[in-house]
Amino acid sequence: MDVFNKCSQYTQAKDAMKKGFYPYFIPLDENEGTEVEFEGNRLIMCGSNNYLGLTTHPKVKAAAKNAVDKYGTSCTGSRFLNGTLALHERLEHELAVFVGKDQALIFSTGMQVNLGTISTLIGRDDVVILDKDDHASIVDGARLGYGKIERFRHNDMDHLARVLKSIPNDRGKLIIVDGVFSMGGDLADLPGLIPLAKEYSARIMVDDAHGMGVTGRGRGTAAQFGMTDDVDLIMSTFSKSFASLGGFIAGDEDVIHYIKHTARALIFSASIPAANASAALAALEILREEPERVDRVNAIAERVRTELDAMGFNVGESVTPIVPVIIGDNDKTFMTWKLLFEGGVFVNPVISPAVPQGSQLLRTSYMATHTDEQMDRVLETFKKVGKELSII
C-alpha cells in the first residue's frame, strides 16, 4: 500500500478544471481593494474579507513600510524566545482595551489562535461544545485537545441545553461559537447561550474573526449584545478588518498567561513580522477614529440583501456584510459563479463539505469602500445571471 495512492485517485479538482468550472486558486494580477484584475479583465471584488477596506489605506501601508525600514522583514524566532517586539506588546495592550478584556495575546495567524488556544485548554477531563456551523479551525483545535467533543445544531439553544445536561458536573466545559458565522453571515445567539453556560458552569469562547470591525460598533459580537463581560475569551484575526496577517485571543490575565506559556502553536511558530503588527495597529487606530466605516459596510450589505431578496434570490439569515446566495446544487453554483465572473463580479462558490448538501451557495461579502456605482453593477449582473439560469 502506497501512502501516495490517495493523491493519484483524487480527481475532483482536475475534473472541474477540464469542465472549465474551477473557481479556486485564481492568480490575480492586481488587487486594489474593491477591484481586482485577472488576465487583463477588471472585476468588482465581492469575495474578500476586507470589510473596512483598509488594505489599501495610505496610513496602513505607510505603517507597514516604516516598520520594514525600522525592524526588517522578519523577527526570525518565536514569541517565546527572541521573536517578541515591544511593538507586539503594544498591539496586545491596545487590542485588550478595545475588546474590553484584561489581556490579549498575538499569534502568527488566526488559524493558529484557535489551534493553540483550544488544544491547550481542553484536557482529558474536559468537554468542548461546538456549534455545528463553527469554523474548521475551531473543529481542528478541538481535535488537537485531549478532551471530548460535543456538537449542537446551529444556534439551537434547546439542543445545546440537552448537550450540557448530559455532561457530568465534574467535567470542565468550554462552549465555542463563531460570533459571525463565516458562510451564513448570521450571529451567534449569545443572549440564549450565555444563561445556559452559567446554569451549567461552562466557559464561553467567541471566535469573532468575521465580527470584529463589523458588529458592536466594530468591537465585536459580544459588544453587539452588551455581553462582553459574560464572554470569557474573544478571538479574532488580523486578516480581515485589520488588513494584515495574524490573530489574537483576549481574556482574563491568568488565562492568557497560561496560554502564553503552554500553547504549542504559539511557542513553536515564528512571530508576525513588525510590518504586520504595525499594519494591524494602524487599522485599529482608523477603526477607532472612523466608526462610520462600520456603518457604511453594514448599509451596503443591507442594500444587497434587500435587493437580492426582492429579485428572488435566497440570502438566508444574514445580518452582516457576509451575504450568502443559496443555490442548492453543485453544477448550478459553479455555473452561476462562472457567469458572474465573466460579467465582472468576483464571488466565492461554496459546496459540500463546507456547507451541507442542498445548501451550496455563493458567498458574497462587502467592503466599506465599495461605491454605490459598483453595487449598481453587481446587482445588475446578479439579476441578469439569475434570469439566464432560471434561479429567479
Side-chain angles (χ1 to χ4, degrees), residues 44 296 303 370-378 380:
I44 300 173
R296 171 65 180 169
R303 177 194 173 188
H370 274 128
T371 66
D372 291 340
E373 291 75 20
Q374 286 174 327
M375 290 300 96
D376 289 342
R377 289 163 52 196
V378 168
E380 288 168 5

Side-chain angles (χ1 to χ4, degrees), residues 19-169:
K19 292 179 181 178
F21 293 118
Y22 186 72
Y24 308 115
F25 297 99
I26 297 173
L28 301 176
D29 297 311
E30 290 184 17
N31 185 348
E32 297 177 7
T34 60
E35 294 193 5
V36 296
E37 184 173 306
F38 174 70
E39 296 183 347
N41 299 312
R42 303 289 294 179
L43 297 93
I44 300 173
M45 172 54 75
C46 295
S48 170
N49 299 317
N50 182 21
Y51 299 120
L52 301 181
L54 297 180
T55 58
T56 56
H57 193 288
K59 183 175 179 178
V60 175
K61 293 198 293 185
K65 291 176 182 177
N66 292 337
V68 169
D69 290 339
K70 181 175 180 179
Y71 297 99
T73 58
S74 174
C75 295
T76 67
S78 74
R79 292 291 308 278
F80 194 68
L81 297 175
N82 66 294
T84 291
L85 301 173
L87 180 62
H88 292 136
E89 294 191 338
R90 178 187 168 197
L91 178 56
E92 287 170 339
H93 172 74
E94 295 295 335
L95 288 167
V97 172
F98 186 69
V99 301
K101 292 299 177 186
D102 288 349
Q103 288 191 2
L105 179 64
I106 295 172
F107 285 70
S108 300
T109 68
M111 178 82 174
Q112 286 178 303
V113 176
N114 283 341
L115 295 182
T117 297
I118 301 167
S119 63
T120 200
L121 289 176
I122 301 302
R124 297 187 187 279
D125 296 326
D126 302 318
V127 181
V128 58
I129 305 107
L130 311 181
D131 186 296
K132 284 197 173 181
D133 282 7
D134 276 349
H135 191 266
S137 60
I138 298 174
V139 177
D140 287 352
R143 287 173 174 168
L144 283 175
Y146 291 106
K148 184 178 181 182
I149 301 172
E150 295 282 3
R151 307 290 291 271
F152 64 95
R153 287 188 294 271
H154 177 52
N155 264 347
D156 187 333
M157 295 302 104
D158 290 335
H159 190 207
L160 173 60
R162 292 196 296 274
V163 169
L164 289 169
K165 187 176 181 180
S166 71
I167 300 171
N169 292 333

Side-chain angles (χ1 to χ4, degrees), residues 189-201 204 227:
D189 182 8
L190 293 184
L193 187 152
I194 286 169
L196 287 173
K198 291 181 178 179
E199 180 180 353
Y200 290 97
S201 301
I204 302 169
M227 293 180 157

